């Protein structure tokens, strides 16, 4: 089923920075909030002096009753740095919801995320009554996500590269032990390509279905410009329209 896409003039409700360079943006967008599904994204306008193209941002949370959406993003270029200057009350143009989301019809999924890949997985967590999460970061500061996820998950497992918090290592260090107990019926993963490839490989060895969320540079977000096209095992696909979520076994992971 193809869900309707709208352009809303959304008002900034709040703009917070949990750590330097990362922003949590909450917008009034009642039409988009009503139809969004976990794994989908929106295209957000940026100030004119920060570029002409909208920026694709994963939806982190929605409130269908209050009519807002929440986006969590890292400042990585001129566009997102310009967007980060937006203050409460400012209007931004938002196109969405876009893309194909996760399969949430699972009894006990395990979400696996690294860095900003935890953004679309958060929406999954808020929409599912029995989900667990395995998150990784370089340092304790980078897993600020724990506090955000805590109210929505059954269990939260954490790894850090430097061992400053949780288990020292990567998410793939802990993942085999978690899957070995046999209680998970699906894995959803988003993060760096090499991480997703390893997670998909481990899930396959345990016979557990796995979905991955790809990230590519986009222009239109509607499948017209082909800027986000990727080769998959079933042919050329558009990340914005056919994805960003794909079955793990269908994609190639070269960054």
């Amino acid at each position: 089923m193809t869900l309707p896409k709208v352009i809303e003039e959304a008002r900034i409700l709040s703009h917070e920075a949990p750590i330097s360079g990362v922003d949590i943006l909450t917008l009034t967008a009642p039409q988009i909030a009503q139809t969004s599904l976990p794994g989908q994204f929106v295209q957000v306008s940026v100030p004119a002096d920060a570029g002409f193209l909208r920026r694709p941002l994963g939806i982190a949370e929605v409130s269908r009753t209050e009519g807002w959406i929440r986006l969590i993003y890292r400042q990585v270029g001129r566009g997102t740095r310009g967007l980060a200057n937006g203050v409460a009350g400012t209007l931004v143009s938002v196109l969405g919801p876009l893309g194909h989301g996760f399969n949430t019809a699972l009894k006990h999924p395990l979400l696996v995320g690294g860095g900003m890949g935890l953004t679309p997985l958060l929406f999954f967590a808020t929409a599912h009554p029995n989900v667990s999460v395995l998150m990784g970061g370089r340092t304790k500061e980078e897993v600020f996500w724990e506090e955000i996820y805590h109210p929505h998950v059954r269990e939260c497992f954490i790894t850090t590269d430097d061992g400053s918090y949780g288990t020292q290592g990567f998410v793939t260090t802990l993942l085999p032990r978690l899957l070995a107990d046999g209680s998970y019926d699906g894995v959803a993963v988003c993060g760096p390509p090499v991480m997703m490839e390893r997670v998909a490989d481990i899930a396959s060895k345990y016979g557990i279905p796995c979905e991955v969320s790809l990230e590519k540079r986009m222009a239109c977000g509607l499948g017209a410009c082909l800027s986000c096209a990727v080769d998959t095992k079933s042919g050329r696909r558009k990340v914005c329209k056919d994805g960003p979520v794909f079955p793990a076994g269908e994609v190639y992971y070269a960054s």
Side-chain angles (χ1 to χ4, degrees):
M1 179 178 66
T2 301
L3 294 173
K5 304 172 184 64
V6 301
I7 295 179
E8 288 195 78
E9 291 301 310
R11 190 176 303 276
I12 296 178
L13 292 176
S14 64
H15 212 157
E16 307 167 58
I19 63 172
S20 178
V22 173
D23 292 83
I24 300 177
L25 176 63
T26 306
L27 303 167
T28 56
Q31 294 182 72
I32 294 174
Q34 281 297 322
T35 56
S36 297
L37 299 173
Q40 292 187 301
F41 67 98
V42 292
Q43 292 271 90
V44 183
S45 66
V46 297
D49 60 356
F52 297 102
L53 295 176
R54 297 173 184 266
R55 295 316 193 258
L57 299 176
I59 302 171
E61 291 184 78
V62 305
S63 172
R64 304 194 198 282
T65 55
E66 297 179 14
W68 54 255
I69 63 173
R70 183 162 292 144
L71 314 172
I72 305 177
Y73 65 95
R74 188 186 298 277
Q75 298 176 37
V76 295
R78 189 166 56 123
T80 46
R81 286 195 297 269
L83 182 62
N85 292 325
V87 297
T90 302
L91 290 175
V92 295
S93 176
V94 183
L95 168 65
L98 302 171
H100 172 77
F102 291 106
N103 171 26
T104 57
L106 299 166
K107 293 182 178 179
H108 186 195
L110 178 65
L111 312 181
V112 184
M116 301 312 297
L118 286 156
T119 294
L121 295 175
L122 177 59
F123 192 178
F124 195 142
T126 64
H128 197 285
N130 187 37
V131 63
S132 297
V133 63
L134 168 59
M135 61 178 65
R138 289 175 294 182
T139 65
K140 182 178 180 179
E141 182 187 44
E142 289 196 355
V143 289
F144 66 88
W145 298 91
E146 180 185 21
E147 184 177 347
I148 299 174
Y149 268 83
H150 182 72
H152 309 293
V153 298
R154 173 174 163 180
E155 293 179 285
C156 182
F157 306 97
I158 297 174
T159 66
T160 52
D161 296 2
D162 64 359
S164 56
Y165 193 58
T167 299
Q168 183 169 12
F170 309 117
V171 293
T172 50
T173 304
L174 194 55
L175 183 61
R177 193 180 83 194
L178 298 181
L179 297 186
D181 71 9
S183 68
Y184 299 107
D185 60 345
V187 173
V189 56
C190 186
V194 65
M195 186 202 80
M196 292 195 292
E197 183 176 20
R198 287 288 297 121
V199 169
D201 182 58
I202 293 169
S204 177
K205 289 178 180 176
Y206 283 88
I208 298 175
C210 180
E211 290 185 314
V212 298
S213 179
L214 302 187
E215 180 178 325
K216 291 286 288 184
R217 291 184 180 274
M218 297 178 188
C220 72
L222 298 170
C225 70
L226 304 180
S227 65
C228 67
V230 295
D231 289 318
T232 72
K233 295 173 185 177
S234 57
R236 195 77 169 159
R237 307 290 293 278
K238 304 165 187 174
V239 171
C240 69
K241 189 173 181 179
D242 301 314
V245 178
F246 294 92
E250 285 294 307
V251 302
Y252 302 107
Y253 297 91
S255 58

